[in-house]
Amino acid sequence: MRKTVMSLAVTATVGFGTIFGGTSVITEAASISSLKGEQNKIQEQRSGINSTINQKNNQISDLQNQQADVKSEITRIDYAITDSTNKIKEKTAKLESTKAEIMKLQGQMEVIKDRIEKRNVLLKDRARSYQETGGMVNYIDVLMGSENFSDFVDRANAVVTIMQADQAILKEHEADKQELEIKQDEVKTNLASLEKMVSDLQTLNQQLSAQKAEKDKLLASLKEQENEAHEGVMDLQEQDALLAAQQAAIQKAISMEQEAQARAAAEAAAQAAEAAKRKAASSSNTSSSSSSSRVSSGATPGVSSGYWTQPAVGYLSSGFGVRGSERHAGVDIANRAAVPIVAAADGVVIRSYLSSTYGNCIFVSHSINGQVYTTVYAHMTTRMVGSGAVVKKGQQIGVMGNTGASHGQHLHFELHKGPWTQDKRFAINPVGIVPLP
Ligand SMILES: [Zn+2]
């Protein structure tokens, strides 16, 4: 019985000692009041968040409407292309049949020309035989040989009839020839107009195809803008959790840096004292200098000297800034291989979770020379550190992926000079600050 009371008393003493012990009382009181202030700030931000979400959603539906418009235009163009292609086929078939008709007419023409030629030869032969044999005299003989006037008239009529018949045949041929020529001209005109129609249709088809290509490009860019807009939409709870976790992470990151600086100062002092000692002994050795080279191991980016290092190997598939109607608050590093993602600097993980938009994402708070920075790593396949974890520059925190509002495997990397906020007003271009591919 007595033992139990004793142990309780000890426990109580230890407990109180922990809570109110030493200088931590002042620090904690200060941090509690400052946390309250931060909490108020978070509440203020929350009221602004709703309007931002509405704005984003309007932007998304606007982009979706634009895409629907472009799609219906593409459908219209597709119909027009089908129509003109069918017309080209139809007119080309007609063109072929017209050409065949022209060939046929030319054949007919050849026959008639041949007939006319032969008839002409025949008539010329006859005319020559009249001259040579005194043909006209022969006719006269025929006429003179008539027995009486009635016989003369008969004979004369016969001669005339023969001559007229010859001429009538020739005239008929000429008429046929003329008719064929007219027909051929008509068909040739028809052919020319068909040829023009086909070439016009082909031009139209080319124009339509060019229009379609343009619309396809527009559609792709609208789709990309929509993806970016989706990437920026977070629900209230998600933002709230992030903002709340951020306060703790920022404070931890700041105190970590202060501790590290204090350690470095102590080390420097110790080294100075050591150096002074050595100088006194007048035997100076070569001091070891820290190498500041980047060591690369293929899939993992080499760790740079300085405060920042490259978060992933790959290529820069999208830069920071305005893209269409959308602002891209980060940079995209793409890679076909599922490469490691590393922390860009020493820091504290604000949150490590699965977001509907950012996919598997990690938010890290950094304190660098008293300046707070925030980095975001989105769309990962795997997360390897949890919320609140302390990470070192170059430490692997996940694997590149394609989760959330992502189309194609890449790392969406954001750098904020200050805390993360819904409107991402502190987002800056990491180029020139963080080593990038
Ligand atoms: Zn991105």
Side-chain angles (χ1 to χ4, degrees), residues 228 231 318 323 328-332 379 410-413:
E228 291 303 336
E231 200 171 56
S318 185
R323 204 193 293 170
H328 192 220
V331 295
D332 293 342
H379 310 310
H410 75 285
L411 166 71
H412 171 81
F413 176 76

Side-chain angles (χ1 to χ4, degrees), residues 181-199:
E181 269 169 357
I182 289 164
K183 208 167 173 185
Q184 208 176 30
D185 281 349
E186 265 173 29
V187 174
K188 274 183 180 163
T189 311
N190 199 2
L191 185 77
S193 96
L194 273 169
E195 272 169 347
K196 180 153 189 339
M197 258 186 234
V198 170
S199 108

Side-chain angles (χ1 to χ4, degrees), residues 100-130:
E101 201 183 335
I102 288 173
M103 291 287 281
K104 203 175 114 192
L105 286 172
Q106 267 168 348
Q108 286 176 4
M109 198 79 146
E110 289 309 313
V111 172
I112 287 182
K113 272 184 188 163
D114 195 45
R115 270 193 217 145
I116 290 170
E117 194 63 30
K118 278 181 181 153
R119 182 64 53 176
N120 266 331
V121 170
L122 206 72
L123 289 176
K124 266 183 206 154
D125 281 353
R126 194 167 289 174
R128 204 167 36 236
S129 82
Y130 288 159

Side-chain angles (χ1 to χ4, degrees), residues 105-175:
L105 286 172
Q106 267 168 348
Q108 286 176 4
M109 198 79 146
E110 289 309 313
V111 172
I112 287 182
K113 272 184 188 163
D114 195 45
R115 270 193 217 145
I116 290 170
E117 194 63 30
K118 278 181 181 153
R119 182 64 53 176
N120 266 331
V121 170
L122 206 72
L123 289 176
K124 266 183 206 154
D125 281 353
R126 194 167 289 174
R128 204 167 36 236
S129 82
Y130 288 159
Q131 285 172 349
E132 282 169 3
T133 63
M136 288 312 280
V137 178
N138 284 348
Y139 275 120
I140 288 162
D141 285 346
V142 169
L143 296 175
M144 290 313 241
S146 50
E147 288 162 11
N148 50 41
F149 183 69
S150 147
D151 186 31
F152 171 80
V153 169
D154 283 347
R155 284 175 188 231
N157 276 345
V159 168
V160 169
T161 302
I162 289 163
M163 289 176 80
Q164 275 178 344
D166 278 344
Q167 274 173 354
I169 287 165
L170 199 61
K171 262 184 195 159
E172 218 173 88
H173 287 335
E174 288 290 349

Side-chain angles (χ1 to χ4, degrees), residues 122-421:
L122 206 72
L123 289 176
K124 266 183 206 154
D125 281 353
R126 194 167 289 174
R128 204 167 36 236
S129 82
Y130 288 159
Q131 285 172 349
E132 282 169 3
T133 63
M136 288 312 280
V137 178
N138 284 348
Y139 275 120
I140 288 162
D141 285 346
V142 169
L143 296 175
M144 290 313 241
S146 50
E147 288 162 11
N148 50 41
F149 183 69
S150 147
D151 186 31
F152 171 80
V153 169
D154 283 347
R155 284 175 188 231
N157 276 345
V159 168
V160 169
T161 302
I162 289 163
M163 289 176 80
Q164 275 178 344
D166 278 344
Q167 274 173 354
I169 287 165
L170 199 61
K171 262 184 195 159
E172 218 173 88
H173 287 335
E174 288 290 349
D176 282 353
K177 191 185 163 197
Q178 228 164 25
E179 202 183 306
L180 272 174
E181 269 169 357
I182 289 164
K183 208 167 173 185
Q184 208 176 30
D185 281 349
E186 265 173 29
V187 174
K188 274 183 180 163
T189 311
N190 199 2
L191 185 77
S193 96
L194 273 169
E195 272 169 347
K196 180 153 189 339
M197 258 186 234
V198 170
S199 108
D200 284 352
L201 281 165
Q202 276 163 346
T203 307
L204 177 67
N205 226 357
Q206 275 165 4
Q207 282 168 350
L208 286 168
S209 294
Q211 268 179 36
K212 199 192 166 190
E214 217 171 88
K215 295 285 173 197
D216 282 341
K217 224 166 100 182
L218 177 62
L219 190 66
S221 116
L222 285 169
K223 185 84 211 150
E224 203 183 331
Q225 283 174 41
E226 194 200 328
N227 289 341
E228 291 303 336
H230 276 303
E231 200 171 56
V233 177
M234 267 190 196
D235 66 40
L236 274 173
Q237 284 182 331
E238 192 177 344
Q239 290 172 43
D240 219 19
L242 199 62
L243 287 168
Q246 187 165 241
Q247 299 313 313
I250 287 174
Q251 280 175 358
K252 197 167 170 183
I254 290 172
S255 61
M256 261 170 51
E257 197 200 13
Q258 285 168 345
E259 277 165 26
Q261 279 173 349
R263 252 199 324 272
E267 250 171 58
Q271 273 179 1
E274 184 75 18
K277 234 194 231 168
R278 274 199 219 124
K279 218 170 196 179
S282 75
S283 63
S284 68
N285 281 331
T286 49
S287 61
S288 64
S289 63
S290 60
S291 67
S292 61
S293 61
R294 289 180 56 165
V295 184
S296 181
S297 67
T300 311
V303 180
S304 300
S305 59
Y307 294 112
W308 299 99
T309 198
Q310 188 174 315
V313 292
Y315 66 94
L316 213 63
S317 62
S318 185
F320 178 90
V322 178
R323 204 193 293 170
S325 67
E326 190 57 33
R327 176 172 157 261
H328 192 220
V331 295
D332 293 342
I333 300 171
N335 200 320
R336 276 168 191 269
V339 292
I341 306 294
V342 305
D346 292 351
V348 177
V349 176
I350 298 167
R351 272 199 91 194
S352 166
Y353 70 108
L354 177 63
S355 156
S356 60
T357 52
Y358 277 125
N360 273 310
C361 61
I362 292 175
F363 288 67
V364 181
S365 186
H366 313 272
S367 176
I368 291 169
N369 280 334
Q371 170 68 53
V372 168
Y373 288 91
T374 314
T375 52
V376 180
Y377 312 77
H379 310 310
M380 291 185 282
T381 307
T382 321
R383 287 176 283 114
M384 293 166 72
V385 289
S387 304
V390 171
V391 291
K392 285 281 162 202
K393 178 185 70 173
Q395 177 188 333
Q396 185 173 1
I397 57 170
V399 177
M400 190 184 279
N402 191 23
T403 56
S406 167
H407 297 262
Q409 180 167 281
H410 75 285
L411 166 71
H412 171 81
F413 176 76
E414 287 177 19
L415 175 67
H416 301 259
K417 190 172 181 180
W420 178 89
T421 62

